[in-house]
Amino acid sequence: MTRTKSQKALIRFTLNGEPSEVAFAPHKTLLEVLREDLGLTGTKHGCELGECGTCTVLIDGQPILSCLFLGLDAEDREVTTIEGMAEGGKLHPLQDTFADLGAAQCGYCTPGFLLVAKELLEKNPSPSRNEIQEALAGNLCRCTGYIKIYEAVELAAARMRGEEVEPPRESIYGFEV
Amino acid sequence: MKKNNSNEKKVIGKPFRKVDARAKCTGQTKFADDIVLPRMLFCKMLRSPMPHALIKRIDISKALKLPGVVAVLTGRDLPIPYGILPVSEDEHALCIDKVRFIGDPVAAIAAVDEDTAFDAMDLIEVEYERLDSIASIEDALRPDASRIHEYGDGGNVHKKVSLEFGDIEAGFADADLVREDVFFYEGNTHLPLEQHSAVAILDPDDKLTLWSSTQTPHYVHRALAKVLEMPATHIRVIATPNGGGFGGKSDPFNHEIVVAKLAMVTGRPVKITLTREEVFYCHRGRHPVLMWVKTGAKKDGAITAMHFRSFLDGGAYGSYGVASTFYTGALQTVTYEVPRYKFEGLRVFTNKPPCGPKRGHGTPQPRFALEAQIDKIAEELGLDPVEMRRQHLVKPNTITANYLRVGSIGLGECIDKIVAASDWKNQYRKLPYGKGVGFACSSYICGAGLPIYWNNMPHSGVQLRLDRQGGVCVMCGSIDIGQGSDSILAYIVAEVLGIDPFDIRVITADTDLTPVDLGSYSSRVTLMTGHAALQAAERARELLAKAAAEKLDVPTECISFSDRRVFDVEDAERGMTFAEAVQLAESKFGTIGTVGSYTPPRSPGKYKGAGVGPSPAYSYSAAVAEVDVDPETGIVIVERVWIAHDIGQSINPALVMGQVEGGVYMGLGEVLMEEMAYRGNRNVVHKFPSMLEYKSPTTLEMCDVKTILVEDPDPNGPFGAKEVGQGPLLPVPPAVVNAIYDAVGVRIDEVPATPEKVLAALRAKAQGKDGRFGPKSVPDVEWPEPIRVPTPAEGGDGKELPRVAVHS
């Protein structure tokens, strides 16, 4: 019944823009490798069954569920986690608008949402509300009702397009009668 | 020199970022499972596969021999019972003689890694002797049912209560219409994205530290001291930021006690993080409640009397259940005038994961029943359901029939604004078949008036420390579960001291470092910690003002605080920086530290059972739901919810909006799809212990939300603020079922209103039967003689009448 302790595997890949290498038990998921072997705990887990989207990271720019992705398969790929989203000390516009609008309440699902939204805006700089909903449909949030998240994505999209815009008054003070 | 307008608020009412926003948006918030310590062991708990069984034998010897296993505990290692309420300490960290639901833990393993701990679970031998399992309220009430616990109000009845306020029979006799309706609200769960997690370590000085994703570090602290038989002074509980709580992390949990014990036994740090399946077994979510409501009304819709009965399926343990039971009968009286009121409630034990408090704790179920019934009453009386409600609202500064003291009530304004904004008058009964609108109101407490264990101490404490660099540190036992409570502390202190909220260091939820706050439950935090923070900040401000006034040679009351400066209100240029004011004060008084605390006002109710329901203030909401019902499939799409919420005063409107939208979302999930469903032999195996199968709204199901904030400051709230975390969930389920009726003419008297139920009601209607889906009756039980309390209108003083001795 004792488990044969397999030798660690070593992979090389690009992590948040930096060439990296890591050794880990070969059965581990990318989620586990990031959190346990690399100490990058910004990537969260909500189910470890591919159901909630919380553990989303970007591989070669595409969102994937790191709980369903073998660490070994990250070899030679570009992995972006929440830790790699800000540029130096400067937040990504999505991080700024999520912070400004309160789109992160408990903050646990936030890294996953931010990375999916980042990829969305890279391929579609002016998404409609429906397109945002479609893109984020694989990520669950239990706090916000998603509304502040949509608004934050829309505001960041506008700013990234170079528009000087402030959040709509209604999203902060409510509908005025 | 321009006079500074000191009444103008610089922070309160402004949409500042949360103090932890940057950490949360960069993945740097440290949740419990993010804690990694050298030599840390991993814990797994072996759980019962039986719903109800005696433990005949348990053998851990093989597991102990597995390489990598460091320790194994069973129930005998933790023999002392505990539970959140002193009246129902019916849990053991690990079951000793008996298991009571599938998922009840029987053993715990600490191993060098999680895989080894998993393997060790297979090596523990447990022999069970199966008992009859109890699957439902009806089952539990069978006289021959096997008993789950040996305490309570007889058989499997955990708690049975009966309260009567005024002569309800006279009220019914006086009514033009008396309706009796039966409703059912299915149980559902919190489903926080973060699974519960805890880490324990025996400190170098032989004291114990536990980090845990808990909403109630103070109660966990007490439970640990009790079960581990250690002085509380040797235990430190640190609540980590909760990745969602919603009430689901409010009990002291078995896994917290187990890792603490394992850390003591092994001398090494021990972590447990539950799997998603295990989170479903922790539960403590919404009770399934069966309800019978009898209401009398005059022709104009004025209620003459109400008799409410609720039957709660409590699951396997007490948890908050006694409070939940009372809550199903408490808040019926605070929206519309109910001059005479009777409540009978009972909670049963069943062999399912224990129920407890979920957002709205015990009140969404009766609110659903009440608002759905009022819709039926309005129809029968030929009245507009909104206008009828509007005419009979509780007036401000009222004591209700059951002795709840209502202060401000902004519900009238909520109704007026939402009717105008949603164009109700041109929608209701005017939309084509399949489309409809529905209306409902609600109210919620702003903190419970009484603590969970009896004491006369404050419910919340805040300590402030000011240093000569101008730094301000605020310390409070409250825990941020995403609602923004850390930020509320900073905003309030910043407002009073005229500094920026981001100048403040906030330290919370650490039993070694922070004064007690009872926890993040009952929508109490903004109001109670807010008052404590306000008091501490005002005391600090007074010290600084005295020192500055002396220096500027002006009276103390002429000192103003704003923009990180302390100055003469008559001449703003005569002044100093905030840091200089602290230095002057430190020179004059010594190290500057102040405290503040808050204790709620005493409730006017003095009868047995008066402890649940009183609150310093009540928030109010009104909602209109717009639905699209497909009569072919029964699928209900909620297009939009209009909601007006009486917040008293927004401390931060952006955060208030987020709470309203989140509450609407959760109410939408409850009314459309969320349910704790069970299957299998005797219906006690959880059907959906996964996030895929437990349906909750994604972005594709979430409706548009139009929020209106109504600010009617309450004299009992800090700056007039009331709660928003829970109240806005409440009107959503009834507004949606009322809208379904407007759309297709069927009454869904049961939550969730799934397509199957809508179709069944439509088919029944097409066959000329009652176009309704819902329970038909409630069990016939013998209720205890009620505690009789004359109402304020009858000259009552809040005390119950003496019991009349019954001679046989």
Side-chain angles (χ1 to χ4, degrees):
Chain A
M1 183 72 223
T2 36
R3 182 178 293 269
T4 26
K5 296 284 174 192
S6 42
Q7 223 175 3
K8 283 188 173 183
L10 179 81
I11 65 162
R12 294 190 173 79
F13 67 125
T14 306
L15 177 59
N16 295 324
E18 290 173 1
S20 303
E21 56 178 37
V22 59
F24 54 89
H27 66 273
K28 280 192 166 184
T29 63
L30 180 58
L31 170 69
E32 291 165 327
V33 175
L34 289 169
R35 289 181 55 84
E36 296 166 8
D37 299 286
L38 289 158
L40 296 185
T41 55
T43 303
K44 304 300 177 199
H45 50 80
C47 66
E48 293 172 78
L49 292 167
E51 297 168 349
C52 67
T54 302
C55 66
T56 305
V57 300
L58 302 181
I59 297 221
D60 298 333
Q62 294 299 311
I64 62 105
L65 300 173
S66 64
C67 74
L68 298 184
F69 193 92
L70 272 180
L72 284 174
D73 287 338
E75 175 112 53
D76 295 331
R77 313 284 289 270
E78 277 187 34
V79 177
T80 307
T81 68
I82 187 67
E83 286 89 353
M85 198 160 163
E87 286 190 20
K90 190 171 156 36
L91 297 184
H92 187 281
L94 278 163
Q95 292 174 308
D96 264 321
T97 57
F98 268 60
D100 282 339
L101 287 171
Q105 282 189 22
C106 80
Y108 197 81
C109 70
T110 308
F113 271 95
L114 280 167
L115 291 166
V116 175
K118 177 178 186 288
E119 192 265 344
L120 170 70
L121 296 188
E122 276 163 16
K123 71 175 185 223
N124 181 358
S126 307
S128 66
R129 178 64 68 97
N130 278 343
E131 286 168 335
I132 295 170
Q133 288 167 335
E134 288 283 345
L136 300 177
N139 292 65
L140 292 179
C141 168
R142 290 291 278 174
C143 294
T144 61
Y146 307 109
I147 310 276
K148 289 280 165 281
I149 295 176
Y150 306 152
E151 291 169 351
V153 174
E154 286 162 353
L155 185 62
R159 287 181 181 166
M160 287 165 73
R161 292 192 302 266
E163 296 165 29
E164 278 180 32
V165 279
E166 290 305 311
R169 198 178 151 76
E170 189 188 324
S171 25
I172 289 170
Y173 296 98
F175 188 82
E176 280 166 42
V177 184
Chain B
M1 186 63 217
K2 188 169 73 177
K3 199 167 167 172
N4 186 285
N5 182 358
S6 56
N7 289 327
E8 190 197 331
K9 299 277 182 292
K10 291 287 174 77
V11 182
I12 301 303
K14 304 282 193 290
F16 278 88
R17 275 187 184 185
K18 293 201 290 189
V19 294
D20 52 7
R22 194 176 204 282
K24 286 182 171 173
C25 294
T26 53
Q28 293 181 86
T29 301
K30 283 274 176 237
F31 295 93
D33 190 46
D34 300 335
I35 295 169
V36 178
L37 299 167
R39 299 181 73 233
M40 190 165 79
L41 301 172
F42 295 83
C43 171
K44 290 298 299 175
M45 289 161 81
L46 180 69
R47 294 173 185 274
S48 166
M50 302 273 173
H52 196 195
L54 299 175
I55 301 171
K56 302 308 284 184
R57 185 180 68 89
I58 181 159
D59 183 353
I60 59 171
S61 56
K62 286 181 189 152
L64 275 171
K65 286 181 196 140
L66 182 72
V69 170
V70 181
V72 180
L73 300 179
T74 65
R76 308 253 170 245
D77 297 308
L78 290 160
I80 298 176
Y82 66 95
I84 182 69
L85 300 187
V87 293
S88 54
E89 294 188 327
D90 59 2
E91 299 184 54
H92 285 92
L94 297 166
C95 298
I96 300 173
D97 298 318
K98 190 174 175 179
V99 292
R100 294 180 173 86
F101 69 99
I102 293 173
D104 224 358
V106 295
I109 299 143
V112 290
D113 56 38
E114 220 171 356
D115 289 341
T116 307
F118 261 114
D119 290 346
M121 288 206 290
D122 289 339
L123 300 176
I124 296 174
E125 291 168 16
V126 190
E127 194 185 310
Y128 295 102
E129 181 184 316
R130 186 149 185 179
L131 301 169
D132 265 359
S133 53
I134 312 297
S136 65
I137 295 165
E138 293 74 15
D139 246 8
L141 294 172
R142 276 189 293 115
D144 62 335
S146 60
R147 278 191 89 170
I148 296 174
H149 288 282
E150 296 304 315
Y151 79 103
D153 286 345
N156 283 310
V157 175
H158 174 202
K159 186 71 187 173
K160 201 188 255 188
V161 298
S162 181
L163 300 167
E164 187 169 356
F165 307 93
D167 183 350
I168 58 161
E169 292 312 323
F172 289 130
D174 189 35
D176 296 315
L177 171 70
V178 177
R179 268 201 77 99
E180 291 180 37
D181 290 285
V182 183
F183 300 92
F184 180 63
Y185 200 109
E186 181 58 280
N188 52 57
T189 200
H190 321 83
L191 204 76
L193 263 299
E194 180 205 27
Q195 302 107 314
H196 305 56
S197 179
V199 181
I201 184 171
L202 200 59
D203 292 327
D205 58 0
D206 205 27
K207 291 176 180 168
L208 182 81
T209 296
L210 178 87
W211 289 267
S212 182
S213 176
T214 174
Q215 296 176 238
T216 52
H218 176 59
Y219 297 138
V220 172
H221 191 204
R222 288 171 56 86
L224 285 178
K226 177 175 195 275
V227 179
L228 301 174
E229 297 179 277
M230 271 174 83
T233 46
H234 291 200
I235 301 172
R236 176 182 189 184
V237 176
I238 302 171
T240 45
N242 285 197
F246 317 112
K249 296 170 181 168
S250 306
D251 285 65
F253 280 102
N254 43 40
H255 62 263
E256 296 170 319
I257 295 166
V258 160
V259 287
K261 181 74 178 179
L262 284 169
M264 292 165 67
V265 170
T266 62
R268 291 171 68 169
V270 184
K271 178 196 274 188
I272 189 164
T273 299
L274 302 189
T275 64
R276 179 53 59 182
E277 182 182 352
E278 291 178 298
V279 175
F280 279 93
Y281 300 145
C282 272
H283 191 40
R284 320 287 161 148
R286 184 86 69 225
H287 284 76
V289 185
L290 180 65
M291 295 163 281
W292 170 86
V293 201
K294 180 178 176 184
T295 302
K298 300 296 276 184
K299 281 194 182 102
D300 67 351
I303 293 169
T304 59
M306 183 183 292
H307 186 179
F308 200 100
R309 284 184 177 146
S310 55
F311 302 77
L312 292 80
D313 179 347
Y317 290 99
S319 183
Y320 284 79
V322 171
S324 316
T325 306
F326 279 105
Y327 270 123
T328 66
L331 301 189
Q332 278 83 338
T333 55
V334 298
T335 43
Y336 322 112
E337 284 182 28
V338 180
R340 302 171 185 88
Y341 178 61
K342 182 172 184 178
F343 168 63
E344 288 163 322
L346 72 80
R347 180 182 195 262
V348 297
F349 291 119
T350 56
N351 293 118
K352 297 191 281 194
C355 297
K358 183 187 171 196
R359 208 171 194 170
H361 192 189
T363 73
Q365 303 98 323
R367 180 55 59 182
F368 163 71
L370 178 60
E371 296 293 320
Q373 190 190 48
I374 283 181
D375 225 54
K376 299 180 190 193
I377 290 172
E379 185 181 37
E380 218 170 319
L381 292 172
L383 300 172
D384 178 87
V386 175
E387 203 45 44
M388 186 184 104
R389 287 174 169 94
R390 180 76 177 89
Q391 292 306 317
H392 304 292
L393 298 179
V394 167
K395 301 200 172 39
N397 307 312
T398 295
I399 295 177
T400 65
N402 58 342
Y403 288 88
L404 303 181
R405 189 193 284 115
V406 172
S408 70
I409 165 164
L411 185 54
E413 193 180 339
C414 287
I415 294 174
D416 295 344
K417 288 194 163 167
I418 206 156
V419 162
S422 69
D423 196 23
W424 169 264
K425 288 179 178 145
N426 290 314
Q427 308 288 318
Y428 179 62
R429 292 195 171 161
K430 295 193 174 76
L431 295 170
Y433 185 72
K435 292 203 178 271
V437 289
F439 180 86
C441 297
S442 64
S443 175
Y444 199 65
I445 56 172
C446 302
L450 289 174
I452 279 174
Y453 63 97
W454 176 248
N455 71 80
N456 280 318
M457 291 175 282
H459 291 211
S460 193
V462 161
Q463 197 173 357
L464 270 190
R465 181 176 52 75
L466 280 63
D467 70 52
R468 58 183 74 174
Q469 316 291 338
V472 175
C473 180
V474 50
M475 290 163 278
C476 178
S478 60
I479 170 65
D480 203 312
I481 61 172
Q483 85 283 42
S485 57
D486 281 7
S487 303
I488 297 297
L489 291 168
Y491 300 149
I492 287 178
V493 171
E495 180 68 52
V496 174
L497 296 181
I499 57 178
D500 186 285
F502 294 90
D503 295 347
I504 295 170
R505 171 73 59 188
V506 180
I507 296 176
T508 49
D510 180 331
T511 60
D512 262 14
L513 301 183
T514 59
V516 167
D517 173 76
L518 294 180
S520 287
Y521 64 93
S522 87
S523 271
R524 53 179 296 289
V525 181
T526 293
L527 189 138
M528 297 196 189
T529 68
H531 274 302
L534 189 57
Q535 188 180 59
E538 280 172 347
R539 286 172 175 171
R541 180 183 159 119
E542 196 179 316
L543 296 176
L544 269 57
K546 274 185 188 157
E550 196 176 274
K551 170 90 171 172
L552 298 175
D553 196 21
V554 294
T556 310
E557 50 281 12
C558 288
I559 296 296
S560 191
F561 291 67
S562 186
D563 302 319
R564 297 181 177 131
R565 290 187 74 250
V566 179
F567 51 88
D568 178 358
V569 72
E570 300 293 338
D571 180 355
E573 272 181 17
R574 289 197 67 232
M576 63 203 75
T577 65
F578 179 77
E580 285 164 347
V582 178
Q583 288 155 19
L584 285 178
E586 192 171 334
S587 310
K588 186 173 167 68
F589 301 109
T591 303
I592 304 295
T594 58
V595 293
S597 54
Y598 179 74
T599 308
R602 288 206 178 269
S603 163
K606 310 290 177 213
Y607 56 91
K608 190 169 186 292
V612 174
S615 177
Y618 296 85
S619 79
Y620 289 89
S621 313
V624 170
E626 299 175 9
V627 304
D628 189 338
V629 183
D630 182 345
E632 298 300 314
T633 61
I635 291 175
V636 177
I637 293 172
V638 177
E639 305 274 4
R640 184 174 292 109
V641 168
W642 296 87
I643 181 158
H645 182 72
D646 167 23
I647 179 66
Q649 159 72 49
S650 301
I651 302 290
N652 178 332
L655 302 191
V656 171
M657 292 289 289
Q659 289 300 309
V660 173
E661 289 160 4
V664 169
Y665 154 85
M666 205 161 266
L668 189 79
E670 294 193 9
V671 67
L672 292 183
M673 62 188 87
E674 294 187 31
E675 52 185 331
M676 285 287 271
Y678 299 85
R679 65 178 159 83
N681 186 21
R682 293 210 53 76
N683 219 25
V684 283
V685 180
H686 200 294
K687 199 172 175 183
F688 306 140
S690 85
M691 295 179 103
L692 194 63
E693 295 302 326
Y694 178 92
K695 302 297 181 199
S696 65
T698 70
T699 55
L700 302 181
E701 286 81 38
M702 182 56 193
C703 61
D704 185 20
V705 181
K706 291 280 187 192
T707 303
I708 297 163
L709 300 183
V710 168
E711 296 194 327
D712 183 356
D714 193 285
N716 280 344
F719 298 98
K722 302 203 278 191
E723 75 86 39
V724 64
Q726 307 192 58
L729 180 150
L730 295 160
V732 177
V736 169
V737 296
N738 290 342
I740 292 172
Y741 182 72
D742 188 46
V744 292
V746 295
R747 294 284 182 190
I748 310 301
D749 289 338
E750 183 172 313
V751 161
T754 55
E756 295 85 345
K757 294 175 190 173
V758 175
L759 267 190
L762 283 168
R763 288 200 183 120
K765 195 182 178 199
Q767 291 163 2
K769 296 182 206 152
D770 193 9
R772 167 182 185 270
F773 189 97
K776 294 189 171 49
S777 62
V778 295
D780 190 16
V781 302
E782 205 173 303
W783 296 99
E785 191 61 23
I787 289 168
R788 289 200 169 80
V789 189
T791 66
E794 292 169 341
D797 57 1
K799 295 194 185 109
E800 64 205 67
L801 295 175
R803 295 257 176 166
V804 182
V806 180
H807 301 282
S808 51

